[in-house]
Amino acid sequence: MSLKGKAAAIGIGELKPAKEPGDLTALGLMAKVSAEAIADAGLEKKDIDGFLVGMPFADPGMIYPASAAEVMGLVPRMLNVVDIGGASPAGMIWRAAAAIDAGMCSAVLCVVADLNRAGDQRPPVISTQREFEAPYGNIGANCGYALIARRHMHEFGTTAEQMAKVAVDQRKNALKNPLATFNDKELTIQDVLNSRMIVDPLHLFEIVSPVSGAAAVVVASPEVAKRSTNPPVWLLGAGECANHSSITYAPSIVESPIKYAAETAFKMAGLKPADMNLVCPYDCYTITVIVTLDDAGFCKKGQGGRFVQEHDLTYAGDLPCNTHGGQLSFGQPGLAGGMSHVTEGIRQLMGRGGARQVRNARLGYVNGNGGIMSEQASLVLERRS
Amino acid sequence: MSEYVKPLPKPSPTSRPFWEAAKKHELRLQKCGACGKFIYYPRDRCPNCFSDNLSWQQVSGRGTLYSYTTVYRASTRSFADAPYVLAIVELDEGPRMTTNIVAPPDKLKVGMPVTVYFDDVTPTHTLVKFKPT
């Protein structure tokens, strides 16, 4: 039972995020980026027979898959909302491959579009969070990740400088990404540590900025992949796990379900973290990258801080990490932020990284993360020569 | 007397005993009769073994500070009176709770012992917070 080599990403679409939503609508962005991805795949809309869509934060409840399919005139033979938070986009890729492998469809459009703006955080919708988190001020994601960071610093000696380095190295990558929101100025460790303290120990520049945008990937069967003008990027392994929703109830707040998701993905692929040429870990906060790397096995558990300090995470470095700048520099277009890691991994492996192309980019690890290090979906991707 | 603007818990049939005990300044949790674990937040079935043999018991009110953060910039207007300390307390009996620590942030350390403090935030609602022991 394996998804190895059963499907490939053959086309991508991604919009440059907008700082203010203005007149944009989630459905409008969705249609625009879907058209881009389908054309990029070398297909026509009528070739799409599978549909996976994220429920935008901006239009909750309104975008059921059939409604969005109707708006775009799609006729899917497999359709679903994928609702695992920020991990939804990564989770879509293996779900598409599984549906293809099951013979349900042959070309799946995986798309997320969302509007997000700075301002008052919406109160939680989930009743248990409304009752046991919100009254104490645990609203949104900031507190949860600050709690993780504090404990990781306490248990493992992770430092503020190590966390800041994630933002600094990724910003260097963003300078080569015309789509990134923050792509004009380098950041130094001091810049990050001097930025406003929001939720101790996390500073402003360690936290994603809300923007609006959309991204899409077309995943295809080996048969359809032959028609693509892009080199197909094959799914070699996937893994998924969630063991909590609110961080308080996680078995450990410094060890996430990435441990299980990554283990499964690498096992399915028959590969190890050290085999990867690049990594694209979801980065809502700097600490997220550190925990991801030490949970996924790139270093020993707890050593993620020292690991990022000792490695060059830029596109030209020894472990290129989020070469698009990460969401920290790209911006977080709501639920579509998670797709930016998937599209960048695919883009690099296709050899389309432009000024930030990673040399010998053949194997990539992508991690999708939801909630507060809650839902996790790990992927191992390959470009075959 | 200023109005309390923060979100208040709306008890469910499952959680009502917890909040009613809090109003009486008692910390009561469910204990599973099958596996013996204490449960938080209140459930209909044990999240460990899934038994429905649950009974309410008073617990010690003691725990340790598992992690904490000082929120300087709140994400909602209702908490504009930041800074405040958001924390996870691990009760001696096992479960962890999301809570606030009522103490100056510079006095706090991960792992320090804490004791429950019942905050009567409105005439009808009491929140379960903690202070350094």
Side-chain angles (χ1 to χ4, degrees), chain A residues 129-139 143, chain B residues 4 6-7 9 18-19 40 71 79 84-87 97-100 126-130:
Chain A
Q129 290 180 8
R130 276 203 309 272
E131 189 175 348
F132 301 105
E133 310 296 317
Y136 302 102
N138 187 16
I139 297 169
C143 289
Chain B
Y4 190 77
K6 297 173 182 162
F18 172 81
W19 294 112
Y40 186 78
V71 179
F79 281 85
Y84 61 92
V85 177
L86 191 287
M97 303 180 65
T98 301
T99 188
N100 298 125
T126 298
L127 294 182
V128 178
K129 301 183 182 179
F130 290 79

PDB file of all heavy atoms in Angstrom, chain A residues 129-139 143, chain B residues 4 6-7 9 18-19 40 71 79 84-87 97-100 126-130:
ATOM      1  N   GLN A 129     -13.349  25.700  22.239  1.00  0.00           N
ATOM      2  CA  GLN A 129     -12.386  26.791  22.310  1.00  0.00           C
ATOM      3  C   GLN A 129     -13.040  28.062  22.828  1.00  0.00           C
ATOM      4  O   GLN A 129     -12.446  28.818  23.593  1.00  0.00           O
ATOM      5  CB  GLN A 129     -11.748  27.034  20.936  1.00  0.00           C
ATOM      6  CG  GLN A 129     -10.826  25.906  20.529  1.00  0.00           C
ATOM      7  CD  GLN A 129     -10.182  26.118  19.182  1.00  0.00           C
ATOM      8  OE1 GLN A 129     -10.286  27.173  18.575  1.00  0.00           O
ATOM      9  NE2 GLN A 129      -9.499  25.088  18.697  1.00  0.00           N
ATOM     10  N   ARG A 130     -14.291  28.278  22.429  1.00  0.00           N
ATOM     11  CA  ARG A 130     -15.017  29.456  22.929  1.00  0.00           C
ATOM     12  C   ARG A 130     -15.129  29.396  24.447  1.00  0.00           C
ATOM     13  O   ARG A 130     -15.046  30.407  25.133  1.00  0.00           O
ATOM     14  CB  ARG A 130     -16.425  29.519  22.335  1.00  0.00           C
ATOM     15  CG  ARG A 130     -16.517  30.170  20.973  1.00  0.00           C
ATOM     16  CD  ARG A 130     -17.923  30.709  20.701  1.00  0.00           C
ATOM     17  NE  ARG A 130     -18.962  29.730  20.936  1.00  0.00           N
ATOM     18  CZ  ARG A 130     -19.406  28.864  20.028  1.00  0.00           C
ATOM     19  NH1 ARG A 130     -18.873  28.857  18.819  1.00  0.00           N
ATOM     20  NH2 ARG A 130     -20.350  28.001  20.325  1.00  0.00           N
ATOM     21  N   GLU A 131     -15.319  28.171  24.953  1.00  0.00           N
ATOM     22  CA  GLU A 131     -15.596  28.012  26.378  1.00  0.00           C
ATOM     23  C   GLU A 131     -14.337  27.960  27.234  1.00  0.00           C
ATOM     24  O   GLU A 131     -14.294  28.531  28.323  1.00  0.00           O
ATOM     25  CB  GLU A 131     -16.407  26.733  26.587  1.00  0.00           C
ATOM     26  CG  GLU A 131     -16.947  26.584  28.003  1.00  0.00           C
ATOM     27  CD  GLU A 131     -17.855  25.376  28.166  1.00  0.00           C
ATOM     28  OE1 GLU A 131     -18.252  24.780  27.135  1.00  0.00           O
ATOM     29  OE2 GLU A 131     -18.148  25.013  29.319  1.00  0.00           O
ATOM     30  N   PHE A 132     -13.270  27.286  26.748  1.00  0.00           N
ATOM     31  CA  PHE A 132     -12.110  27.013  27.611  1.00  0.00           C
ATOM     32  C   PHE A 132     -10.841  27.745  27.212  1.00  0.00           C
ATOM     33  O   PHE A 132      -9.845  27.671  27.925  1.00  0.00           O
ATOM     34  CB  PHE A 132     -11.864  25.508  27.676  1.00  0.00           C
ATOM     35  CG  PHE A 132     -13.044  24.747  28.212  1.00  0.00           C
ATOM     36  CD1 PHE A 132     -13.864  24.008  27.364  1.00  0.00           C
ATOM     37  CD2 PHE A 132     -13.368  24.821  29.556  1.00  0.00           C
ATOM     38  CE1 PHE A 132     -14.979  23.339  27.853  1.00  0.00           C
ATOM     39  CE2 PHE A 132     -14.483  24.154  30.054  1.00  0.00           C
ATOM     40  CZ  PHE A 132     -15.291  23.409  29.210  1.00  0.00           C
ATOM     41  N   GLU A 133     -10.835  28.415  26.052  1.00  0.00           N
ATOM     42  CA  GLU A 133      -9.638  29.153  25.620  1.00  0.00           C
ATOM     43  C   GLU A 133      -9.903  30.657  25.600  1.00  0.00           C
ATOM     44  O   GLU A 133      -9.148  31.441  26.167  1.00  0.00           O
ATOM     45  CB  GLU A 133      -9.201  28.706  24.211  1.00  0.00           C
ATOM     46  CG  GLU A 133      -9.072  27.201  24.015  1.00  0.00           C
ATOM     47  CD  GLU A 133      -7.980  26.566  24.862  1.00  0.00           C
ATOM     48  OE1 GLU A 133      -6.892  27.137  24.963  1.00  0.00           O
ATOM     49  OE2 GLU A 133      -8.234  25.472  25.414  1.00  0.00           O
ATOM     50  N   ALA A 134     -10.987  31.044  24.921  1.00  0.00           N
ATOM     51  CA  ALA A 134     -11.244  32.471  24.697  1.00  0.00           C
ATOM     52  C   ALA A 134     -11.381  33.285  25.983  1.00  0.00           C
ATOM     53  O   ALA A 134     -10.854  34.397  26.048  1.00  0.00           O
ATOM     54  CB  ALA A 134     -12.489  32.640  23.819  1.00  0.00           C
ATOM     55  N   PRO A 135     -12.057  32.776  27.018  1.00  0.00           N
ATOM     56  CA  PRO A 135     -12.210  33.618  28.218  1.00  0.00           C
ATOM     57  C   PRO A 135     -10.886  34.050  28.846  1.00  0.00           C
ATOM     58  O   PRO A 135     -10.828  35.069  29.527  1.00  0.00           O
ATOM     59  CB  PRO A 135     -13.004  32.729  29.182  1.00  0.00           C
ATOM     60  CG  PRO A 135     -13.767  31.793  28.297  1.00  0.00           C
ATOM     61  CD  PRO A 135     -12.825  31.520  27.164  1.00  0.00           C
ATOM     62  N   TYR A 136      -9.827  33.284  28.597  1.00  0.00           N
ATOM     63  CA  TYR A 136      -8.528  33.610  29.180  1.00  0.00           C
ATOM     64  C   TYR A 136      -7.667  34.430  28.225  1.00  0.00           C
ATOM     65  O   TYR A 136      -6.546  34.814  28.559  1.00  0.00           O
ATOM     66  CB  TYR A 136      -7.798  32.328  29.588  1.00  0.00           C
ATOM     67  CG  TYR A 136      -8.602  31.514  30.584  1.00  0.00           C
ATOM     68  CD1 TYR A 136      -9.322  30.389  30.183  1.00  0.00           C
ATOM     69  CD2 TYR A 136      -8.682  31.912  31.923  1.00  0.00           C
ATOM     70  CE1 TYR A 136     -10.087  29.674  31.096  1.00  0.00           C
ATOM     71  CE2 TYR A 136      -9.438  31.195  32.845  1.00  0.00           C
ATOM     72  CZ  TYR A 136     -10.144  30.073  32.422  1.00  0.00           C
ATOM     73  OH  TYR A 136     -10.901  29.366  33.324  1.00  0.00           O
ATOM     74  N   GLY A 137      -8.179  34.656  27.011  1.00  0.00           N
ATOM     75  CA  GLY A 137      -7.429  35.446  26.039  1.00  0.00           C
ATOM     76  C   GLY A 137      -6.586  34.610  25.098  1.00  0.00           C
ATOM     77  O   GLY A 137      -5.669  35.147  24.457  1.00  0.00           O
ATOM     78  N   ASN A 138      -6.859  33.324  24.986  1.00  0.00           N
ATOM     79  CA  ASN A 138      -6.162  32.486  24.017  1.00  0.00           C
ATOM     80  C   ASN A 138      -6.997  32.450  22.738  1.00  0.00           C
ATOM     81  O   ASN A 138      -7.716  31.503  22.451  1.00  0.00           O
ATOM     82  CB  ASN A 138      -5.951  31.068  24.558  1.00  0.00           C
ATOM     83  CG  ASN A 138      -5.071  30.230  23.635  1.00  0.00           C
ATOM     84  OD1 ASN A 138      -4.385  30.780  22.765  1.00  0.00           O
ATOM     85  ND2 ASN A 138      -5.087  28.926  23.809  1.00  0.00           N
ATOM     86  N   ILE A 139      -6.901  33.549  21.985  1.00  0.00           N
ATOM     87  CA  ILE A 139      -7.706  33.722  20.761  1.00  0.00           C
ATOM     88  C   ILE A 139      -6.741  33.936  19.604  1.00  0.00           C
ATOM     89  O   ILE A 139      -5.826  34.742  19.717  1.00  0.00           O
ATOM     90  CB  ILE A 139      -8.654  34.928  20.910  1.00  0.00           C
ATOM     91  CG1 ILE A 139      -9.652  34.668  22.054  1.00  0.00           C
ATOM     92  CG2 ILE A 139      -9.376  35.233  19.611  1.00  0.00           C
ATOM     93  CD1 ILE A 139     -10.447  35.888  22.456  1.00  0.00           C
ATOM     94  N   CYS A 143      -0.741  33.113  20.914  1.00  0.00           N
ATOM     95  CA  CYS A 143      -0.439  32.604  22.263  1.00  0.00           C
ATOM     96  C   CYS A 143       0.094  31.175  22.208  1.00  0.00           C
ATOM     97  O   CYS A 143       1.075  30.846  22.869  1.00  0.00           O
ATOM     98  CB  CYS A 143      -1.681  32.638  23.144  1.00  0.00           C
ATOM     99  SG  CYS A 143      -2.193  34.292  23.616  1.00  0.00           S
TER     100      CYS A 143
ATOM    101  N   TYR B   4     -17.640  44.259  31.925  1.00  0.00           N
ATOM    102  CA  TYR B   4     -16.716  43.190  31.562  1.00  0.00           C
ATOM    103  C   TYR B   4     -16.928  42.872  30.095  1.00  0.00           C
ATOM    104  O   TYR B   4     -18.008  42.427  29.700  1.00  0.00           O
ATOM    105  CB  TYR B   4     -16.980  41.956  32.437  1.00  0.00           C
ATOM    106  CG  TYR B   4     -15.928  40.890  32.294  1.00  0.00           C
ATOM    107  CD1 TYR B   4     -14.686  41.021  32.912  1.00  0.00           C
ATOM    108  CD2 TYR B   4     -16.169  39.740  31.532  1.00  0.00           C
ATOM    109  CE1 TYR B   4     -13.711  40.038  32.785  1.00  0.00           C
ATOM    110  CE2 TYR B   4     -15.196  38.761  31.405  1.00  0.00           C
ATOM    111  CZ  TYR B   4     -13.968  38.914  32.030  1.00  0.00           C
ATOM    112  OH  TYR B   4     -13.006  37.943  31.894  1.00  0.00           O
ATOM    113  N   LYS B   6     -14.804  40.930  28.049  1.00  0.00           N
ATOM    114  CA  LYS B   6     -14.135  39.745  27.512  1.00  0.00           C
ATOM    115  C   LYS B   6     -15.131  38.601  27.323  1.00  0.00           C
ATOM    116  O   LYS B   6     -16.186  38.580  27.973  1.00  0.00           O
ATOM    117  CB  LYS B   6     -13.024  39.318  28.459  1.00  0.00           C
ATOM    118  CG  LYS B   6     -11.948  40.380  28.577  1.00  0.00           C
ATOM    119  CD  LYS B   6     -10.930  40.049  29.636  1.00  0.00           C
ATOM    120  CE  LYS B   6      -9.933  41.205  29.712  1.00  0.00           C
ATOM    121  NZ  LYS B   6      -9.184  41.185  30.945  1.00  0.00           N
ATOM    122  N   PRO B   7     -14.780  37.635  26.454  1.00  0.00           N
ATOM    123  CA  PRO B   7     -15.679  36.504  26.235  1.00  0.00           C
ATOM    124  C   PRO B   7     -15.872  35.722  27.541  1.00  0.00           C
ATOM    125  O   PRO B   7     -14.930  35.533  28.305  1.00  0.00           O
ATOM    126  CB  PRO B   7     -14.967  35.633  25.200  1.00  0.00           C
ATOM    127  CG  PRO B   7     -13.785  36.380  24.743  1.00  0.00           C
ATOM    128  CD  PRO B   7     -13.555  37.545  25.629  1.00  0.00           C
ATOM    129  N   PRO B   9     -17.440  32.102  29.362  1.00  0.00           N
ATOM    130  CA  PRO B   9     -17.797  30.733  28.995  1.00  0.00           C
ATOM    131  C   PRO B   9     -19.303  30.525  29.076  1.00  0.00           C
ATOM    132  O   PRO B   9     -19.954  31.011  29.989  1.00  0.00           O
ATOM    133  CB  PRO B   9     -17.079  29.884  30.045  1.00  0.00           C
ATOM    134  CG  PRO B   9     -16.725  30.801  31.153  1.00  0.00           C
ATOM    135  CD  PRO B   9     -16.706  32.196  30.619  1.00  0.00           C
ATOM    136  N   PHE B  18     -18.538  21.847  36.255  1.00  0.00           N
ATOM    137  CA  PHE B  18     -17.225  22.474  36.408  1.00  0.00           C
ATOM    138  C   PHE B  18     -17.381  23.946  36.754  1.00  0.00           C
ATOM    139  O   PHE B  18     -16.762  24.448  37.706  1.00  0.00           O
ATOM    140  CB  PHE B  18     -16.410  22.311  35.118  1.00  0.00           C
ATOM    141  CG  PHE B  18     -15.125  23.082  35.129  1.00  0.00           C
ATOM    142  CD1 PHE B  18     -13.997  22.581  35.765  1.00  0.00           C
ATOM    143  CD2 PHE B  18     -15.041  24.325  34.507  1.00  0.00           C
ATOM    144  CE1 PHE B  18     -12.808  23.303  35.791  1.00  0.00           C
ATOM    145  CE2 PHE B  18     -13.853  25.053  34.528  1.00  0.00           C
ATOM    146  CZ  PHE B  18     -12.734  24.540  35.179  1.00  0.00           C
ATOM    147  N   TRP B  19     -18.215  24.643  35.983  1.00  0.00           N
ATOM    148  CA  TRP B  19     -18.376  26.086  36.184  1.00  0.00           C
ATOM    149  C   TRP B  19     -19.146  26.407  37.463  1.00  0.00           C
ATOM    150  O   TRP B  19     -18.880  27.409  38.121  1.00  0.00           O
ATOM    151  CB  TRP B  19     -19.044  26.713  34.966  1.00  0.00           C
ATOM    152  CG  TRP B  19     -18.185  26.638  33.729  1.00  0.00           C
ATOM    153  CD1 TRP B  19     -18.428  25.901  32.609  1.00  0.00           C
ATOM    154  CD2 TRP B  19     -16.934  27.307  33.511  1.00  0.00           C
ATOM    155  NE1 TRP B  19     -17.417  26.077  31.701  1.00  0.00           N
ATOM    156  CE2 TRP B  19     -16.480  26.923  32.222  1.00  0.00           C
ATOM    157  CE3 TRP B  19     -16.145  28.199  34.271  1.00  0.00           C
ATOM    158  CZ2 TRP B  19     -15.284  27.395  31.677  1.00  0.00           C
ATOM    159  CZ3 TRP B  19     -14.954  28.672  33.727  1.00  0.00           C
ATOM    160  CH2 TRP B  19     -14.541  28.273  32.449  1.00  0.00           C
ATOM    161  N   TYR B  40      -9.755  17.010  31.685  1.00  0.00           N
ATOM    162  CA  TYR B  40     -10.035  18.425  31.423  1.00  0.00           C
ATOM    163  C   TYR B  40      -9.757  18.678  29.953  1.00  0.00           C
ATOM    164  O   TYR B  40      -8.769  18.201  29.442  1.00  0.00           O
ATOM    165  CB  TYR B  40      -9.153  19.365  32.277  1.00  0.00           C
ATOM    166  CG  TYR B  40      -9.559  20.805  32.086  1.00  0.00           C
ATOM    167  CD1 TYR B  40     -10.693  21.310  32.736  1.00  0.00           C
ATOM    168  CD2 TYR B  40      -8.872  21.633  31.209  1.00  0.00           C
ATOM    169  CE1 TYR B  40     -11.104  22.622  32.529  1.00  0.00           C
ATOM    170  CE2 TYR B  40      -9.285  22.939  30.992  1.00  0.00           C
ATOM    171  CZ  TYR B  40     -10.398  23.428  31.657  1.00  0.00           C
ATOM    172  OH  TYR B  40     -10.823  24.728  31.451  1.00  0.00           O
ATOM    173  N   VAL B  71       1.257  38.423  26.973  1.00  0.00           N
ATOM    174  CA  VAL B  71       0.670  38.993  25.764  1.00  0.00           C
ATOM    175  C   VAL B  71       0.756  40.504  25.876  1.00  0.00           C
ATOM    176  O   VAL B  71       0.124  41.111  26.753  1.00  0.00           O
ATOM    177  CB  VAL B  71      -0.805  38.564  25.607  1.00  0.00           C
ATOM    178  CG1 VAL B  71      -1.413  39.193  24.359  1.00  0.00           C
ATOM    179  CG2 VAL B  71      -0.913  37.045  25.566  1.00  0.00           C
ATOM    180  N   PHE B  79      -9.401  42.213  24.759  1.00  0.00           N
ATOM    181  CA  PHE B  79      -8.270  42.062  25.673  1.00  0.00           C
ATOM    182  C   PHE B  79      -7.311  43.234  25.550  1.00  0.00           C
ATOM    183  O   PHE B  79      -6.110  43.086  25.773  1.00  0.00           O
ATOM    184  CB  PHE B  79      -7.560  40.728  25.432  1.00  0.00           C
ATOM    185  CG  PHE B  79      -8.272  39.570  26.064  1.00  0.00           C
ATOM    186  CD1 PHE B  79      -9.303  38.925  25.404  1.00  0.00           C
ATOM    187  CD2 PHE B  79      -7.933  39.143  27.339  1.00  0.00           C
ATOM    188  CE1 PHE B  79      -9.990  37.868  25.988  1.00  0.00           C
ATOM    189  CE2 PHE B  79      -8.606  38.077  27.930  1.00  0.00           C
ATOM    190  CZ  PHE B  79      -9.631  37.442  27.260  1.00  0.00           C
ATOM    191  N   TYR B  84      -1.185  40.724  29.669  1.00  0.00           N
ATOM    192  CA  TYR B  84      -1.697  39.723  30.586  1.00  0.00           C
ATOM    193  C   TYR B  84      -0.907  38.447  30.345  1.00  0.00           C
ATOM    194  O   TYR B  84      -0.249  38.302  29.314  1.00  0.00           O
ATOM    195  CB  TYR B  84      -3.203  39.487  30.396  1.00  0.00           C
ATOM    196  CG  TYR B  84      -3.617  38.975  29.032  1.00  0.00           C
ATOM    197  CD1 TYR B  84      -3.738  37.607  28.773  1.00  0.00           C
ATOM    198  CD2 TYR B  84      -3.905  39.866  27.997  1.00  0.00           C
ATOM    199  CE1 TYR B  84      -4.124  37.140  27.524  1.00  0.00           C
ATOM    200  CE2 TYR B  84      -4.295  39.408  26.741  1.00  0.00           C
ATOM    201  CZ  TYR B  84      -4.403  38.049  26.507  1.00  0.00           C
ATOM    202  OH  TYR B  84      -4.779  37.591  25.260  1.00  0.00           O
ATOM    203  N   VAL B  85      -0.946  37.532  31.305  1.00  0.00           N
ATOM    204  CA  VAL B  85      -0.192  36.287  31.169  1.00  0.00           C
ATOM    205  C   VAL B  85      -1.151  35.146  30.838  1.00  0.00           C
ATOM    206  O   VAL B  85      -2.071  34.847  31.586  1.00  0.00           O
ATOM    207  CB  VAL B  85       0.582  35.948  32.460  1.00  0.00           C
ATOM    208  CG1 VAL B  85       1.307  34.602  32.315  1.00  0.00           C
ATOM    209  CG2 VAL B  85       1.591  37.056  32.779  1.00  0.00           C
ATOM    210  N   LEU B  86      -0.900  34.532  29.679  1.00  0.00           N
ATOM    211  CA  LEU B  86      -1.657  33.357  29.253  1.00  0.00           C
ATOM    212  C   LEU B  86      -0.755  32.173  29.538  1.00  0.00           C
ATOM    213  O   LEU B  86       0.450  32.228  29.247  1.00  0.00           O
ATOM    214  CB  LEU B  86      -1.967  33.478  27.756  1.00  0.00           C
ATOM    215  CG  LEU B  86      -2.947  32.552  27.059  1.00  0.00           C
ATOM    216  CD1 LEU B  86      -2.413  31.154  26.866  1.00  0.00           C
ATOM    217  CD2 LEU B  86      -4.286  32.508  27.786  1.00  0.00           C
ATOM    218  N   ALA B  87      -1.298  31.136  30.145  1.00  0.00           N
ATOM    219  CA  ALA B  87      -0.425  30.037  30.565  1.00  0.00           C
ATOM    220  C   ALA B  87      -1.087  28.682  30.411  1.00  0.00           C
ATOM    221  O   ALA B  87      -2.309  28.580  30.251  1.00  0.00           O
ATOM    222  CB  ALA B  87      -0.031  30.238  32.033  1.00  0.00           C
ATOM    223  N   MET B  97      -4.450  22.756  31.864  1.00  0.00           N
ATOM    224  CA  MET B  97      -5.515  23.739  31.635  1.00  0.00           C
ATOM    225  C   MET B  97      -4.936  25.001  31.030  1.00  0.00           C
ATOM    226  O   MET B  97      -3.830  25.420  31.423  1.00  0.00           O
ATOM    227  CB  MET B  97      -6.156  24.141  32.970  1.00  0.00           C
ATOM    228  CG  MET B  97      -6.728  23.010  33.785  1.00  0.00           C
ATOM    229  SD  MET B  97      -7.456  23.622  35.340  1.00  0.00           S
ATOM    230  CE  MET B  97      -8.803  24.625  34.736  1.00  0.00           C
ATOM    231  N   THR B  98      -5.696  25.625  30.125  1.00  0.00           N
ATOM    232  CA  THR B  98      -5.364  26.964  29.656  1.00  0.00           C
ATOM    233  C   THR B  98      -5.878  27.922  30.708  1.00  0.00           C
ATOM    234  O   THR B  98      -6.999  27.779  31.194  1.00  0.00           O
ATOM    235  CB  THR B  98      -6.070  27.258  28.314  1.00  0.00           C
ATOM    236  OG1 THR B  98      -5.664  26.302  27.354  1.00  0.00           O
ATOM    237  CG2 THR B  98      -5.735  28.662  27.830  1.00  0.00           C
ATOM    238  N   THR B  99      -5.079  28.927  31.066  1.00  0.00           N
ATOM    239  CA  THR B  99      -5.484  29.791  32.163  1.00  0.00           C
ATOM    240  C   THR B  99      -4.712  31.108  32.131  1.00  0.00           C
ATOM    241  O   THR B  99      -3.917  31.350  31.221  1.00  0.00           O
ATOM    242  CB  THR B  99      -5.256  29.055  33.502  1.00  0.00           C
ATOM    243  OG1 THR B  99      -5.816  29.824  34.577  1.00  0.00           O
ATOM    244  CG2 THR B  99      -3.770  28.824  33.774  1.00  0.00           C
ATOM    245  N   ASN B 100      -4.958  31.953  33.088  1.00  0.00           N
ATOM    246  CA  ASN B 100      -4.137  33.150  33.290  1.00  0.00           C
ATOM    247  C   ASN B 100      -3.399  32.994  34.607  1.00  0.00           C
ATOM    248  O   ASN B 100      -3.900  32.364  35.544  1.00  0.00           O
ATOM    249  CB  ASN B 100      -5.004  34.421  33.380  1.00  0.00           C
ATOM    250  CG  ASN B 100      -5.775  34.692  32.112  1.00  0.00           C
ATOM    251  OD1 ASN B 100      -6.996  34.829  32.135  1.00  0.00           O
ATOM    252  ND2 ASN B 100      -5.072  34.766  30.999  1.00  0.00           N
ATOM    253  N   THR B 126     -17.311  32.883  37.110  1.00  0.00           N
ATOM    254  CA  THR B 126     -16.008  32.789  37.781  1.00  0.00           C
ATOM    255  C   THR B 126     -15.054  32.046  36.858  1.00  0.00           C
ATOM    256  O   THR B 126     -15.399  30.980  36.342  1.00  0.00           O
ATOM    257  CB  THR B 126     -16.149  32.018  39.107  1.00  0.00           C
ATOM    258  OG1 THR B 126     -17.036  32.745  39.968  1.00  0.00           O
ATOM    259  CG2 THR B 126     -14.795  31.856  39.789  1.00  0.00           C
ATOM    260  N   LEU B 127     -13.866  32.620  36.660  1.00  0.00           N
ATOM    261  CA  LEU B 127     -12.848  31.944  35.840  1.00  0.00           C
ATOM    262  C   LEU B 127     -11.804  31.296  36.742  1.00  0.00           C
ATOM    263  O   LEU B 127     -11.545  31.776  37.850  1.00  0.00           O
ATOM    264  CB  LEU B 127     -12.180  32.951  34.892  1.00  0.00           C
ATOM    265  CG  LEU B 127     -13.090  33.547  33.809  1.00  0.00           C
ATOM    266  CD1 LEU B 127     -12.306  34.497  32.906  1.00  0.00           C
ATOM    267  CD2 LEU B 127     -13.724  32.438  32.964  1.00  0.00           C
ATOM    268  N   VAL B 128     -11.229  30.211  36.238  1.00  0.00           N
ATOM    269  CA  VAL B 128     -10.255  29.441  37.019  1.00  0.00           C
ATOM    270  C   VAL B 128      -8.851  29.876  36.626  1.00  0.00           C
ATOM    271  O   VAL B 128      -8.363  29.539  35.539  1.00  0.00           O
ATOM    272  CB  VAL B 128     -10.450  27.938  36.775  1.00  0.00           C
ATOM    273  CG1 VAL B 128      -9.415  27.122  37.544  1.00  0.00           C
ATOM    274  CG2 VAL B 128     -11.865  27.515  37.167  1.00  0.00           C
ATOM    275  N   LYS B 129      -8.211  30.645  37.495  1.00  0.00           N
ATOM    276  CA  LYS B 129      -6.866  31.156  37.219  1.00  0.00           C
ATOM    277  C   LYS B 129      -5.910  30.620  38.277  1.00  0.00           C
ATOM    278  O   LYS B 129      -6.319  29.856  39.156  1.00  0.00           O
ATOM    279  CB  LYS B 129      -6.893  32.688  37.215  1.00  0.00           C
ATOM    280  CG  LYS B 129      -7.862  33.253  36.163  1.00  0.00           C
ATOM    281  CD  LYS B 129      -7.851  34.766  36.109  1.00  0.00           C
ATOM    282  CE  LYS B 129      -8.874  35.246  35.069  1.00  0.00           C
ATOM    283  NZ  LYS B 129      -8.927  36.723  34.984  1.00  0.00           N
ATOM    284  N   PHE B 130      -4.646  31.016  38.197  1.00  0.00           N
ATOM    285  CA  PHE B 130      -3.646  30.502  39.126  1.00  0.00           C
ATOM    286  C   PHE B 130      -2.706  31.611  39.576  1.00  0.00           C
ATOM    287  O   PHE B 130      -2.536  32.624  38.871  1.00  0.00           O
ATOM    288  CB  PHE B 130      -2.838  29.367  38.481  1.00  0.00           C
ATOM    289  CG  PHE B 130      -3.634  28.103  38.287  1.00  0.00           C
ATOM    290  CD1 PHE B 130      -4.518  27.979  37.217  1.00  0.00           C
ATOM    291  CD2 PHE B 130      -3.532  27.057  39.197  1.00  0.00           C
ATOM    292  CE1 PHE B 130      -5.286  26.824  37.050  1.00  0.00           C
ATOM    293  CE2 PHE B 130      -4.288  25.895  39.041  1.00  0.00           C
ATOM    294  CZ  PHE B 130      -5.162  25.789  37.968  1.00  0.00           C
TER     295      PHE B 130
END
